[in-house]
Structure formats: structure tokens, C-alpha cells
Amino acid sequence: MLKTIDSLGELRGKRVLVRADLNVPLDGTTITDDGRIRAALPTLTRLVEAGARVVVISHLGRPQGAPEAKYSLRPVVGRLGELLGQEVAFASDTVGASAQDVVAGLEDGRVAVLENLRFHAGETSKDDAERLAFATELATLGDAFVSDGFGVVHRKQASVFELATLLPAAAGQLVRSEVESLRKVTDQPERPFVVVLGGAKIADKLGVIDSLLGRADRILIGGGMAYTFQKAKGFEVGQSLLDESKLDVVREYMERAERDGVELVLPVDTVVAPEFSADATPTVVPVEQMPADQEGMDIGPRTAELFGQKISDAATVFWNGPMGVFEFESFAKGTVSVAETLSKAAGFTVVGGGDSAAAVRTLGFDESLFSHISTGGGASLELIEGKSLPGITILEEDTE
Ligand code: ADP
Ligand code: MG
């Protein structure tokens, strides 16, 4: 059981540090998808209503331990204020004079955001002592800590792990609902249990296949992941995304699936294009006939239909990774089709992965059509793999 906000006791007038994940995609200073800000609202609203002085901490992008203007959290503050219906204060540093002033000036029920945590090397340092030192500075700004950045709970970072050891700590609403939903998928899922994998990060995701081979009834593979499987089967994959170093691993998975009676479903056709661009001409080809000079950009229509059949009778579905380059309209059809099938499926449907979640939203699907849309890519995959996550373990109640 995760420690709850209730366990922190009376919060009126208390300074509560909230680790949120406000790492939204930006185009300059324009937020292109505010899903992560919205996901932080239940916890923030609850703390505001309890009269706490709410100090939000987050990272944005990948600065290298020093300030960089393009990674400032400033653009996020206005949107957060609109969604909360109150003006939100902003500190132009993370633990410096500005942060101390802003926190000291907070009234009960008001919210402030501190500048990007990753402007400090201590946040992500591999050195335990450096992380602890930074967490200790952060801890001076709060009386209690609420961990709600689900996207980072798989990381042993100062604001995720060490901070939780220094202050009375609890899991926020987002972290709790994420963990609950994902555990429904991992702990005795209702069957048939179908997993749909795609996207581009092949090496990261092979571990998921490994662990799911013993648990899922069907694993459907599309997106940029599929070509490594197709190549392993001896097919031409042209210029498609490919991880040559994983061909043996993938072959072993295919054998294991066969032996253990897990249905491993691969694409039967692919949409190819002569180059990776939005206006490249799409052509549908069977997977056995991919031209050597073209690149696979999406699953084909027969595959989309096949995947639809394999998903529609599922009692539990976990989907991670777009089926194609959905950012380009001509290559979004496979992803749209899978999203549509999932949105109509009667079973418990979970979408995990940063780009997958963004795809569902930008392609116009209402979030309520899915049982759960995870805000954490790596974190949701690691939970699904059955790993223990430092940022979760540290929030577990002591059970004696
Ligand atoms: P998630 O964030 O959901 O875990 P990934 O980060 O692994 O997913 O992959 C998302 C990216 O995969 C998208 O930007 C999409 O354009 C890309 N992608 C999907 N299919 C292909 C493909 N056939 N070729 C190249 N990129 C692809
Ligand atoms: Mg991604």
C-alpha cells in the first residue's frame, strides 16, 4: 500500500513540496500537449482545498545540470494557473534566493512552481551523496512531500527518491491511480490479455516482451519495432528502423512464443515511403515484398484489420507505442485504427507511453474512451515488466 496524502495529517498552512511531471512538449514557448499538466491537477486541487502552501517541483526536457533558457518551466506556469483557476507564482531558480522568497510569500491554498530541477546536477547525479545534498536543499522548502510525477518514479533521482526520505512523504493521486491501473494489468489480468507494442525504442521495449511472454495471451507488434522481427524472419525491410544487434533476441522470443502457446502477431502488410517526410508518397506492400530502397512508415490496412480482430475480444489490453509515424497524416492510419479498436473494446484498456498517449489525444480520441492512459512511458513499462521502482518502493507503507 502506498502512503496517502491523508497520512500527512492536517495540511493547512503547511508547505507541501509536490514532485509533479510537468515535462510537456513545447514548440518554442507554446505547449503542444498539456496532458501532463492536467494529470497533476487532482493532487494540486486537493492540497489547495486543504489549505496547504503548495510548492510544485518538476523537470522539463534534458538540461545537463545547468540553467538553459529553452528548458525553463516558465511557459508551464500560465497554463497551470488557468487550469487551477488561480494565479500561480514562479521562482526563477530552484533552491536559491528566488525560490526561498516565493515559498516564504505563499499564502494558504496558493501554488508556486520552482524552476527546472535538472538545472542542478544533483538532481540526476549517479553519486548518492550529491543527490542527497540537493534533496536536502529542496527539503528546506517544505514541511511535507507528495510524490506525483509518475513519469519519473522509475528513476532514483533527488526529487523522486532522496527527498522522500527526508520529509514526511506520500503518493499523490496520479501516482496512486497509475499504480492501481497498471497493477490490474500485471496482477492476474482478466483474459484474454492482449498486448500491443509499437513505437521506435526497440531496445527499451524488448524487456517487456520478455516478461510478457509468460503472461500475455497475445502480443501484437507494429510500428518501428516490427521490422526487426520481419528481418529476423528473413524478409527485406529496406530503409526501415532496425536493430541489427537484437535479431537473435527477437528470434528467441519468436521460438519461445511458439513453444509456450503465446500468439505473437506480426504485420502482414506495411505502408512504405521513399523517404521519411510528411509528403512522401505512401505505398502499401505485403511484408514479403518490401522494396530495398523504401522505408516502412506504418502498418498496412490488412494488418490494421488483423490487429482489430485480435484486440476486440480482449478482456485486458495494454498498448504501448504508435503503429506508425502518426505525426505525419499519411502514416497515421494504423495508429488511428488501433486507437479506435481500443476505444470500442469492452475490456480494461490501458495506453502507456509518452508518444502513445500524445497520439491518442492529438488524433482526437476522448481520454474517457480508455480505462487508463498512463502519463509515464518508461515507468509504466517497468511496472508492466514487474520491476520494483525506487520512487514507488520509497512510498510504500512499512508493513511489519
Ligand atoms: P512511446 O513514447 O509511446 O513509448 P516510442 O517513444 O517508442 O513510443 O515511439 C514513438 C515514435 O515511434 C513516434 O514518434 C513514431 O513516429 C515512431 N514510429 C512509429 N512507427 C515508426 C516507423 N515505422 N518508423 C519510424 N518511426 C516510427
Ligand atoms: Mg516516446
Side-chain angles (χ1 to χ4, degrees):
M1 279 290 284
L2 297 177
K3 289 183 213 162
T4 62
I5 292 177
D6 281 340
S7 76
L8 297 173
E10 172 62 43
L11 291 176
R12 182 162 301 278
K14 292 242 183 87
R15 300 168 305 160
V16 180
L17 277 164
V18 180
R19 175 52 159 113
D21 175 6
L22 304 181
N23 182 27
V24 290
L26 288 176
D27 182 1
T29 58
T30 307
I31 298 164
T32 54
D33 177 24
D34 67 1
R36 284 185 167 153
I37 307 180
R38 291 177 181 277
L41 294 177
T43 292
L44 298 181
T45 308
R46 174 153 174 203
L47 294 170
V48 163
E49 282 167 3
R53 304 176 182 187
V54 184
V55 183
V56 182
I57 51 178
S58 175
H59 72 290
L60 187 133
R62 293 174 183 270
Q64 301 300 309
E68 236 178 295
K70 69 173 174 182
Y71 294 126
S72 173
L73 274 165
R74 194 181 287 277
V76 169
V77 175
R79 184 74 191 120
L80 177 60
E82 278 167 27
L83 291 167
L84 279 173
Q86 65 157 271
E87 201 175 314
V88 170
F90 179 64
S92 59
D93 59 28
T94 320
V95 288
S98 173
Q100 287 167 24
D101 276 1
V102 165
V103 173
L106 266 184
E107 287 167 27
D108 297 359
R110 303 305 296 264
V111 179
V113 175
L114 308 185
E115 186 55 288
N116 198 332
L117 289 159
R118 292 192 189 165
F119 286 178
H120 288 260
E123 170 66 0
T124 58
S125 173
K126 299 252 175 295
D127 184 311
D128 291 356
E130 277 176 31
R131 286 199 313 277
L132 184 62
F134 181 53
T136 305
E137 287 189 78
L138 286 169
T140 63
L141 298 168
D143 305 303
F145 173 59
V146 173
S147 178
D148 210 27
F150 180 70
V152 289
V153 290
H154 58 314
R155 306 273 186 220
K156 200 169 184 187
Q157 298 179 341
S159 69
V160 179
F161 183 79
E162 279 79 12
L163 188 53
T165 67
L166 298 172
L167 291 173
Q173 314 270 93
L174 175 64
V175 162
R176 287 185 43 173
S177 81
E178 289 271 12
V179 169
E180 257 164 45
S181 296
L182 291 162
R183 281 190 180 155
K184 258 194 223 174
V185 174
T186 52
D187 305 352
Q188 298 172 336
E190 286 200 48
R191 297 184 181 281
F193 171 27
V194 177
V195 176
V196 189
L197 289 176
K201 292 187 205 149
I202 305 167
D204 287 8
K205 295 181 183 183
L206 287 177
V208 184
I209 300 181
D210 192 19
S211 94
L212 287 172
L213 271 174
R215 295 188 274 133
D217 299 298
R218 287 177 209 139
I219 303 178
L220 283 44
I221 303 203
M225 290 194 86
Y227 306 104
T228 303
F229 286 80
Q230 289 169 210
K231 176 89 178 179
K233 288 178 77 173
F235 299 146
E236 172 69 60
V237 298
Q239 307 302 305
S240 309
L241 213 62
L242 175 68
D243 192 336
E244 293 266 7
S245 69
K246 294 293 190 284
L247 290 172
D248 285 339
V249 178
V250 156
R251 262 184 220 113
E252 194 261 322
Y253 290 166
M254 292 194 283
E255 282 163 21
R256 198 150 29 115
E258 176 94 44
R259 199 177 55 224
D260 298 349
V262 177
E263 241 188 294
L264 193 62
V265 187
L266 296 175
V268 290
D269 58 354
T270 297
V271 182
V272 295
E275 82 249 339
F276 189 89
S277 90
D279 38 47
T281 308
T283 311
V284 177
V285 295
V287 287
E288 301 85 356
Q289 291 167 27
M290 279 187 69
D293 58 350
Q294 300 221 2
E295 161 167 10
M297 300 286 279
D298 193 8
I299 55 171
R302 281 199 294 133
T303 305
E305 195 182 320
L306 173 68
F307 282 12
Q309 288 162 9
K310 298 288 179 189
I311 294 168
S312 51
D313 70 337
T316 309
V317 191
F318 176 73
W319 174 29
N320 170 281
M323 294 293 103
V325 186
F326 73 94
E327 295 91 340
F328 301 156
E329 206 189 331
S330 314
F331 307 104
K333 291 196 186 76
T335 305
V336 171
S337 165
V338 163
E340 210 153 66
T341 311
L342 239 75
S343 71
K344 291 182 185 145
F348 187 74
T349 52
V350 175
V351 183
D355 293 289
S356 315
V360 161
R361 284 190 292 263
T362 57
L363 296 171
F365 290 89
D366 198 280
E367 292 185 30
S368 65
L369 297 170
F370 304 88
S371 309
H372 182 70
I373 299 183
S374 179
T375 53
S380 64
L381 287 176
E382 289 196 15
L383 269 182
I384 295 283
E385 279 177 67
K387 290 190 181 162
S388 98
L389 279 47
I392 296 295
T393 311
I394 198 71
L395 302 173
E396 301 274 4
E397 274 168 9
D398 303 326
T399 42
E400 273 139 51

